[in-house]
Amino acid sequence: MQLTFYALFAPFIAALFAPMLVRIFSHNAAWILALVPALLFFHYTGFLPEISDGGRVTGGVEWIPSFNVNFSWFIDGLSLTFALLITGIGTLIILYAGGYMKGHQQQGRFLSFMLMFMGAMQGLVLSDSFLMFFVFWELTSITSFLLIGFNHDKERSRRAAMQALVVTGLGGLSLLAGLIMIWNITGVSEISLLLGTGDALRESPFYLAAFLLVLGGAFTKSAQFPLHFWLPNAMEAPTPVSAYLHSATMVKAGVFLLMRMNPVMGDTALWETVLPLFGGATLLVGTWLAVRQTDLKLMLAYTTVASLGLLVMLTGFGTEKAIEGAVLYLIAHSLFKGCLFMVAGNVDHEAGTRDVTKLGGLMAAMPITFGAALLAALSMGGLPPFVGFLAKEEIYYGIASADSWSIFVTGVAIIGNALMLVIGFAVALKPFLGPKVETPKSAHEAPLLMFAGPVVLAALGLVGGLLSGVFHKLFSSPMASAVAGTPLEIKITVIPHLGLALTLSVITVALGVVMYWGMAWLREKMASLLKAIGWGPDVGFDQFIRGLVKGSTALTRRLQTGSMEFYVTTVFVVLGISLFVALYKADEWPQLPAIPSLFIYEWAVILICVIGLFSVIFAKNRLTAIVSLGIQGFGVALLFMLMGAPDLAFTQFMVETLSVVILALVMTRLRLLPQDHRSAYQTFQDGFIALGAATAMTLILLGVVQTEFDPTLSEFFNAYSYTIAQGKNIVNVILVDFRGVDTFGEIAVVMVSGLAILALIRILPKKTNPDVPRSENTEEIF
Amino acid sequence: MASAKKSDVNLENAMVMADPALADWLVAAPLILGFIFGAICLMQRKNVLLQTRIALFGLLLMLIADIGLFINVWQNGTVVMTMGRWLPPFGITFAADMLGATFALVAGIVGLAGGIYALSDVDSTSRRYGFYPFLLLMLAGVTTAFLTGDIFNLYVWFEVLLISSFGLIVLGSERRQLDGAIKYAFLNLVATTLFLIGVAYLYGVFGTLNMADIARKAPALQEAEGPHFAIAIMFLFAFAMKAAAFPLNAWLPASYHTPRIAVSAVFAGLLTKVGVYALLRIFLTMFPADRDELGAVIAIIAALTMLVGALGALAQTDIRRVLGYLVISGIGLMLAGLALGSETGISGSIFYAAHSMIVMTALYLLAGIIGRLMGTFDLHKAGGLYQASPWLGALCLVLAFSVSGLPPFSGLWPKVLLVKGSIDVGAWWLAAAIIVSGFLTTIAMVRVFSFSFWRTRAEGLVEIGPISREGRIKLYAALGLTALTVIAGVYPEPFIQVSDRVAFELTHPQTYIDAVFGGNQEGGGQ
C-alpha cells in the first residue's frame, strides 16, 4: 500500500506549512492541521480487519541499496495499535495546542515542532528496517529537544531540553550499536525478518552485548530508574507537549522496543530478571516521588515514570497473561494519562496555577473538564467499568502465583497501583472538590478546542471497557500476539469474577483509599526523606556534565599548553620513539658501516662540520650559534664539491649564506633574549631527545644506503636527456623537462613566500575593528 | 654526458605517443586555472573589485573542472596523464582515480564557498595584499595534491599549499595571528621536512617516485633487506601530523581560530584532509602490507584523536576553538576506516571526509555570521540570537546535529558504516569510541546552540541587528553547504555509491597500477 509511504511524510510536510497557516488563520489553523493526523488515523483504521485476523503488512521502497537499507514499513498488531494511538491522540493534541497556545507569538513554530515529532514517532513504530527505525528514534529525541526547550528564555527549560537530548540521544547511540550487532548476528536488517529468526539471537555468544545495548536505548527513552530524571524535568515544556510525549508517544518508545524484541530476545533468564528488577524499581521510585509533588504536572510525570516501570516489569515477567496485562495497561495509560495532562493544562490555563495545594472547588466553574478528569481517574485507579480495570485484572492474573519471585513482583505491583490510584484521584478530585479556593485567575470552563481532547480520551476509556469484546478483537489481542510472538486471545471483561485477581484488586483499592486520606502526611515524610538523602540522579547529571567539562578543560590544558617548546618536544619524542619501535619491530637495523677510506682533506672538511655543530650547541649567544650553523652548512657544501656535485654545492653555498643572513636579521627583529638559558636538566633532556630522533633517522639512512640502488631512472635520463630533450646537462634537463612540473610548483612557492612577506610587512594591524569580533586573548591560552 | 646519438632514438621507448583525449586535460585543469587566475589577480591587485570578480570566476571554473573530471573518472575510470609526455615512471604522472577526483570535487566546493563568503568578510587591504591569489594557489595546490601520481610532486604541492596558507593566515598582521601563524608554519614545516626526507629514503630504496611504480614494486622489495617499514612509519608520522592526528595535533588548535573566518573555514575544509588523503594513498595504494601491520596502531591513534578532539571541543568557550577541536575529532573518524582496512570501513572514511569538509567549512562560516551578529565569539557572552533570527538557529541546529552524526543529516551514514565496519571485525572499542565521540560532540554543539541562540541576551550588550545585505552573501555560502549535508543525509545512496567505488579501488590497488601503466605490467623502460 503506497499510501503508507506518503503517510510517513505527511506530518513533516504539514509541519512546513504550520507557521504560514497560523499566520493566516491564527489559532484556528489547528483545525486544518489536525486534519493531517485525523486522515492518518483513518488510513490506519483501514488495516484493522486484516491485522485483527492475524495478518501482517509489509511494504517499502529502496532507499540505500548500496548499504542494503530500505525505506520499509511493517504493520502488525503492535505497530498498528501504536500508530492509531499516535495519530488519534495526535489529532486531539493538535486541536488542544490550538487552544492552549492561542495568541502565543510562536504558535506556528510550536505546531510545526509538534507535527514533526508526530512524524518521527509514527515513523519509529512503523519502521521495518533497522536503520530507518534508528533514524526515527533519534528524530524523536531531536524534536522533543526542540519542544522541551520551547520556553527557551528560562534556564530550567534549556537545561531540561539538553538533559533529555543527552540522555535519550546517548541511549539512541547505544541502540544503534545494538541494532548493528543484531544485524551482524542474524544477518537480517529488517524487523519483520528478525522476528522469523527464532533462537538465533538468544543462542548467540553476543546475546549479552546486544541485550545490554538495546536496553541502553529502551531504558533511557522509557525513563527507567536511575535514568528517569529527565522525564519530570521535561515538564518545563508547554502542557500539550507533556500530554503527547508522556502519555502515548516518546516515553513509550522504549517499551515499544522491548515489546518488539520480546519474541527474539525475551524468554531468557537475563531478560526475565533484569527487566522486572529495573521495572519494579522504577515503579516504586516513580510512585513515591509522585506522592511528594504538589505540581499537577509533576505528579502526573512521576506516575508516568511509574507506569513505564510497570510496563517494563510486565514485559519482562515472561508469562502470556503478563504480556496481555502490559498491552492492556499500555493502551489504558495512553488514554487516561493523555486526558489527565490536558486536564492539568486546562486547570493551569484557566485558574492560573498548577499547585494542587492552591486549588479547590473548581467543579462548578469547569464541569466538563471535571467530568473528563473523573472518568480518567477512575480508569487510572483500575475501577470497573473502565479499560484500566481490565488492565489491572489481567496484570494480577499474569503475575500472581505461589513462587517467591511472583509474590515479590505482585507486592511491588500492588503498592505501585495503589499509589497511582492515589495520585490519579489527587489530580482529578483535589482541584475540583471541596470549598472554592481563590486562584490567580478567576476560573471558567476551557474552550471547545481544549476540552474536546480530554473528553474524547476519557470517554474512550469507558467505551473500551464496556465493549471489551470488540476492543480486544481489534486492538489488544493482535497487539499482545505480536508482543508474545504467538497468537493470544484476551478475554477479560469488566464483569468482576471472584478470584485471586479480584481480591488483589480490592486490596489495591483499599490501600489506595487509605493512602489518599493520609496523603498530606505521606508527602511530608517523603519530602524529609528525600532531603535526608540529598542526592539524586538529577543532581548527578549536573555533576556529570560539570565533571566532563572540567575534566576536558584540565586535559586540554595539559595537551595544549600554548608553549612552542612543549609542542616541538612532543613532536620529536613521538618521532624518535616511533622510528625506533619501527626499526625494532621489523628488525630493520642497518649493518655496521665500514669506515670509509677518505683522503685526509675530506676528513678535515668533516671535522669542520662537526666543530660547527659543537659550537652551535655550546655557543654563548644565539648570534654565534647561527653563524656556527653556517659553518656546518658550508662544510657540507664543500663535501658536495669534493664528491663531484658542483651544481649542488653552489646551491648549498647560496642557501647557507641566505639562511645565516635572514636568521640573523630575524633575530634582531624578534627581540629574543640574546642567550639561550637552559637548566642542566633541560639541556640533558633536550639533548637526549635530539640525539635520539637524529640517531633513528641516521640508522634508517644507513639502511637505505646499504640497499642496492635501482638505477632505472638515471639510465633513462642518461639515455634521453640529449637525444630527446636536447640538453647536455642532465640535472638541468631533469629540472626543466623530466620533472618540470616540480620546478613550476617550486617557483610558485618562492613567489608566494615573497607575497606573504610583503603582506606581513605592509599590512599594519588595526587596533580595533568593531565589525570583526576578536576575543581578548592575544596569547594562546589553551 | 648524454650518450646516444639523436638520430637512432626510438621515441616510443621513452614517450607516450598517443594524443591524450581532450577530456583528460581536466586532470591538469585545476592547477592551470588556479595558477592563471592567481596570476591575473596579482596583476590586478590594486583594482580590488575587478580582482575579486576574476577570482570568483576562477574558483567557479575550477569547480566546473573538478565536476567534469569527477564525471569523467566515474564513467571511464582513472584518468592518467604524464607531463612532458614522458612514459611513466620517468615523467611526472597525474592520475585521477575516484579517490582523487572525489576529494578534488569537494575541495572545489569548499574553495568556492570560502571565496563567496570572503566577499563580505575580507577587507580590501587584505585583498590588495593577496587574499584571492593565496586562496587560488592554495586550492590549486590542494587539488593537485589529490591528483598527482608522483610522490615527490605531492611534496611540491604540499609546499605550495603550506606557503599559500601561511600567506592567508598572516593577512592582517595582528599579534594573535602572528602567534598562531608561527606555530602553524613551524610545526607544519617539521612535518613537511620529514615527508621530504621520507621521499628521499624511499627513492633510495625503490629507485622511483611514481606512486603506481612504487606500489607494484612494493611486494617484492618488502621481502628484501632495507628499512621499508621504518620509511612507512616516517610517512605515517609526517601525514598524521599534517592531518592533526593525536598526539601531533597541537598546531591546529594553536592557529585555526586566529585568521579571518573565511580563512579558518577553508583551512578546516581543506588542509587536514590532504594529510588524510596522503595516508590513504600511501597505506592503501602503495603499501597495503604495511597497513595490515599497522592497523591496530592506526586504530588507537584514530580512537584517541576522536576522543581528544571531542573533549577539547567540550572544554572551549570560544566558538571557533570549539570548531577547531571538532576538525581534529573528525580526523579520528577518517583514520578509523584506514585502521579497519575493509571496504565498509574505507567507504565510511571517504564519506566522512567529504561530509566533514563540507560541514566543518559551513560551521566556521556560520560561526562567522553569528560572531558578527553577537559581536563576540565568547560563549559566556553569547545569547539572544533565536529572537533575532530563528532561521539562523535552524541552520545552526542542522549543522550541529550533522557534525554530531545525528539523523537525518550527512554525518550519520559514514558513522554507521564505520560502526558496522568495526563491529564486523570485532573492534567493539573502536565502535565505542566513534559513538562516545559523537555523543560528546552533541553535547559540545548543543551547548553552543543553547548559549548563543536560546539564552536571552545579557543586559547592557549591543542590540542584535538584522543581517545586513552584505551579510546575506555569507549566509548564502553557508546555506549552500548546509543544503548539501541535508541532501546527503536524506538520500545518501549516491554518496555511498561513490565512497563504495573509492573503497573498492583503494582495496584493489592493481586498478591504479594498471591505469598508470596502461595495463602493461612491464611498463616503460624495463
Side-chain angles (χ1 to χ4, degrees), chain B residues 196-250:
Chain B
L196 181 60
I197 299 173
V199 171
Y201 287 1
L202 189 71
Y203 181 66
V205 175
F206 282 80
T208 179
L209 294 167
N210 184 295
M211 293 180 186
D213 201 23
I214 296 168
R216 66 176 176 173
K217 285 179 177 163
L221 272 173
Q222 273 163 344
E223 298 294 311
E225 290 283 300
H228 313 99
F229 190 64
I231 294 173
I233 292 289
M234 282 184 72
F235 283 118
L236 176 63
F237 183 94
F239 292 124
M241 189 157 169
K242 280 275 169 193
F246 182 80
L248 305 170
N249 58 345

Side-chain angles (χ1 to χ4, degrees), chain B residues 33 65 74 88 117 132 140 167 187 205 208 258 360 364 373 396 495 514:
Chain B
L33 288 168
W74 176 258
Y117 186 91
Y132 278 110
L187 291 167
V205 175
T208 179
T258 61
M360 286 318 304
Y364 268 102
L373 283 177
C396 180
F495 301 86
D514 288 349

Side-chain angles (χ1 to χ4, degrees), chain B residues 141 269 366 407 523:
Chain B
L366 177 83

Side-chain angles (χ1 to χ4, degrees), chain B residues 78-260:
Chain B
T78 306
V79 173
V80 178
M81 196 183 222
T82 305
M83 300 301 128
R85 281 204 171 184
W86 299 106
L87 277 180
F90 305 107
I92 291 172
T93 301
F94 281 13
D97 61 350
M98 277 304 293
L99 173 67
T102 307
F103 272 70
L105 174 60
V106 185
I109 297 171
V110 168
L112 182 61
I116 292 173
Y117 186 91
L119 281 175
S120 72
D121 185 55
V122 175
D123 54 297
S124 59
T125 317
S126 294
R127 284 194 221 175
R128 196 170 308 141
Y129 283 100
F131 174 80
Y132 278 110
F134 289 149
L135 181 64
L136 282 158
L137 284 175
M138 186 177 88
L139 190 60
V142 168
T143 316
T144 316
F146 294 143
L147 301 178
T148 186
D150 186 283
I151 193 145
F152 182 79
N153 195 241
L154 178 66
Y155 165 77
V156 171
W157 303 121
F158 262 94
E159 260 198 274
V160 169
L161 73 91
L162 177 61
I163 197 72
S164 321
S165 63
F166 181 74
L168 286 172
I169 207 172
V170 296
L171 274 182
S173 299
E174 286 175 43
R175 239 191 99 82
R176 217 169 37 84
Q177 274 181 299
L178 296 187
D179 180 65
I182 287 172
K183 285 168 182 160
Y184 169 79
F186 187 82
L187 291 167
N188 268 286
L189 267 177
V190 171
T192 315
T193 309
L194 276 166
F195 173 25
L196 181 60
I197 299 173
V199 171
Y201 287 1
L202 189 71
Y203 181 66
V205 175
F206 282 80
T208 179
L209 294 167
N210 184 295
M211 293 180 186
D213 201 23
I214 296 168
R216 66 176 176 173
K217 285 179 177 163
L221 272 173
Q222 273 163 344
E223 298 294 311
E225 290 283 300
H228 313 99
F229 190 64
I231 294 173
I233 292 289
M234 282 184 72
F235 283 118
L236 176 63
F237 183 94
F239 292 124
M241 189 157 169
K242 280 275 169 193
F246 182 80
L248 305 170
N249 58 345
W251 61 269
L252 195 153
S255 58
Y256 267 28
H257 61 287
T258 61
R260 286 183 168 67

Side-chain angles (χ1 to χ4, degrees), chain A residues 63-66 109 152 162 184 552 556 560 562 588 697 722-723 726 737 739 742 746 774 777 782, chain B residues 2 4 6 86 150 152-153 159 173 176 183 201 229-230 250 311 321 325 386 420 424 446 454 490 493:
Chain A
W63 185 18
I64 319 172
S66 303
R109 195 187 298 170
H152 56 83
M162 286 271 293
N184 276 29
S552 346
T556 309
Q560 200 74 30
E588 289 176 347
M697 300 291 281
Y722 181 65
T723 50
Q726 323 244 353
D737 194 335
R739 301 194 66 89
D742 287 343
E746 291 299 337
R774 294 280 186 229
N777 316 326
F782 50 79
Chain B
K6 201 183 160 190
W86 299 106
D150 186 283
F152 182 79
N153 195 241
E159 260 198 274
S173 299
R176 217 169 37 84
K183 285 168 182 160
Y201 287 1
F229 190 64
L311 288 171
R321 285 177 189 260
Y325 276 98
Y386 206 38
K420 175 123 174 63
D424 280 344
V446 171
W454 271 358
V490 174
E493 172 62 16

Side-chain angles (χ1 to χ4, degrees), chain A residues 267-552:
Chain A
D267 204 22
T268 63
L270 195 64
W271 182 272
E272 290 179 1
T273 315
V274 174
L275 262 56
L277 218 55
F278 278 89
T282 309
L283 172 59
L284 290 182
V285 169
T287 44
W288 284 109
L289 288 175
V291 169
R292 197 240 123 139
Q293 305 301 327
T294 55
D295 181 313
L296 290 177
K297 268 175 77 178
L298 281 178
M299 292 161 79
L300 292 172
Y302 278 105
T303 57
T304 302
V305 172
S307 304
L308 295 167
L310 180 62
L311 288 170
V312 169
M313 186 171 93
L314 293 169
T315 308
F317 190 74
T319 64
E320 286 176 356
K321 287 276 184 207
I323 284 171
E324 293 175 3
V327 162
L328 285 169
Y329 187 74
L330 190 144
I331 299 171
H333 177 257
S334 302
L335 298 176
F336 67 69
K337 195 52 73 64
C339 168
L340 286 177
F341 266 119
M342 287 193 260
V343 166
N346 283 358
V347 170
D348 186 20
H349 201 259
E350 303 304 326
T353 178
R354 298 197 303 251
D355 189 331
V356 77
T357 57
K358 295 184 183 131
L359 288 164
L362 290 174
M363 187 169 75
M366 307 175 71
I368 305 175
T369 304
F370 172 63
L374 188 64
L375 295 186
L378 289 169
S379 185
M380 184 170 171
L383 296 169
F386 295 90
V387 178
F389 173 76
L390 303 180
K392 202 169 57 179
E393 290 289 292
E394 198 70 8
I395 291 171
Y396 288 138
Y397 275 123
I399 58 178
S401 64
D403 64 289
S404 55
W405 177 241
S406 302
I407 293 173
F408 172 72
V409 171
T410 311
V412 170
I414 290 176
I415 298 174
N417 280 336
L419 281 165
M420 281 207 263
L421 180 143
V422 174
I423 306 296
F425 277 82
V427 171
L429 300 183
K430 278 255 168 75
F432 297 98
L433 301 180
K436 180 109 176 59
V437 177
E438 209 48 49
T439 48
K441 283 205 246 171
S442 84
H444 41 76
E445 187 52 83
L448 170 64
L449 275 171
M450 288 173 68
F451 71 65
V455 168
V456 171
L457 291 183
L460 282 176
L462 180 61
V463 173
L466 292 175
L467 303 176
S468 58
V470 183
F471 177 73
H472 293 324
K473 169 92 180 105
L474 290 181
F475 308 109
S476 43
S477 291
M479 182 167 164
S481 312
V483 177
T486 49
L488 295 179
E489 200 180 331
I490 304 180
K491 297 209 179 71
I492 189 101
T493 65
V494 289
I495 299 153
H497 292 281
L498 284 177
L500 182 62
L502 188 68
T503 321
L504 292 174
S505 274
V506 172
I507 293 174
T508 308
V509 172
L511 197 64
V513 171
V514 173
M515 287 200 279
Y516 183 72
W517 274 330
M519 193 165 161
W521 182 81
L522 276 177
R523 180 181 295 147
E524 215 170 275
K525 288 289 150 211
M526 269 314 285
S528 53
L529 176 68
L530 287 174
K531 215 172 164 190
I533 298 174
W535 186 91
D538 191 31
V539 182
F541 175 82
D542 279 0
Q543 289 168 338
F544 170 72
I545 294 287
R546 273 205 203 102
L548 199 60
V549 172
K550 267 194 191 149
S552 346

